[in-house]
Amino acid sequence: MRIFLIGFMGSGKTTVGQKLARRLGYSFIDMDMQIEKESSMSINQIFKELGEDGFRRREHDLLLRIIRMDNVVVSTGGGVPCFDNNMELINQNGMSIYLKMTPESLVKRLVHSQSKRPLIRELSSAELPGFVKTKLQERESYYLKSKIIYDGLDVQIEEIVRMITREPL
Ligand code: S3P
């Protein structure tokens, strides 16, 4: 089985993904970390040198490889579901879980980690809330295609495990 954690930047995909993988005895892939490792560049550098298009191509290429793996929990980058046919690929090949959060909760988390995220690193604390609200509105229709919608503020790993085993693939 392949499990994909979906959601906006700051929704906790990496933390939840690591815990879920450990609980299930699956491997864990964080797409951002994997892309950084394979390119020997940080996400910020990739955006600077290859542009956002270049980064999105790398995300898509990595996803095409991930859907051939098995027993893996994947933390996707916040943009993955919104480009190419990525969300269709995810749903055709695995279980998608959207960690849903309000813009307000996301902003509270993101203020502490703006610098490694090229889309928000240059924003002032006054600009961040508006950006998150608008971007989430743009993206949520993709996130909502996930098979499971889960409250990102109150994550219970055992409950997720029960939901996964109930849902048809
Ligand atoms: C992005 C989210 C980031 C990373 C890149 C772009 C986005 O991943 O892929 O900075 O477009 O939302 P996280 O969701 O893990 O922060």
Side-chain angles (χ1 to χ4, degrees), residues 65-80:
R65 282 181 280 138
I66 289 174
I67 59 175
R68 295 201 298 266
M69 300 174 184
D70 205 8
N71 294 345
V72 64
V73 176
V74 184
S75 161
T76 62
V80 169

Side-chain angles (χ1 to χ4, degrees), residues 42-136:
S42 69
I43 302 291
N44 279 326
Q45 274 175 303
I46 298 175
F47 265 68
K48 215 183 293 159
E49 289 179 26
L50 309 174
E52 182 172 349
D53 281 357
F55 176 68
R56 300 302 173 196
R57 256 198 317 280
R58 280 172 189 237
E59 285 186 316
H60 182 68
D61 290 348
L62 175 58
L63 182 63
L64 290 175
R65 282 181 280 138
I66 289 174
I67 59 175
R68 295 201 298 266
M69 300 174 184
D70 205 8
N71 294 345
V72 64
V73 176
V74 184
S75 161
T76 62
V80 169
C82 318
F83 289 85
D84 301 300
N85 59 338
N86 292 346
M87 197 60 201
E88 284 69 36
L89 285 175
I90 287 171
N91 277 332
Q92 283 159 8
N93 293 283
M95 173 59 60
S96 47
I97 305 172
Y98 172 30
L99 298 179
K100 186 173 163 65
M101 305 238 311
T102 61
E104 294 74 23
S105 312
L106 290 167
V107 169
K108 273 190 206 148
R109 289 191 185 179
L110 287 171
V111 283
H112 307 294
S113 57
Q114 278 180 249
S115 65
K116 62 181 166 66
R117 292 182 162 107
L119 295 183
I120 56 171
R121 64 176 308 197
E122 315 256 290
L123 300 180
S124 69
S125 50
E127 290 166 327
L128 187 62
F131 175 87
V132 171
K133 198 162 172 235
T134 309
K135 206 53 156 184
L136 183 61

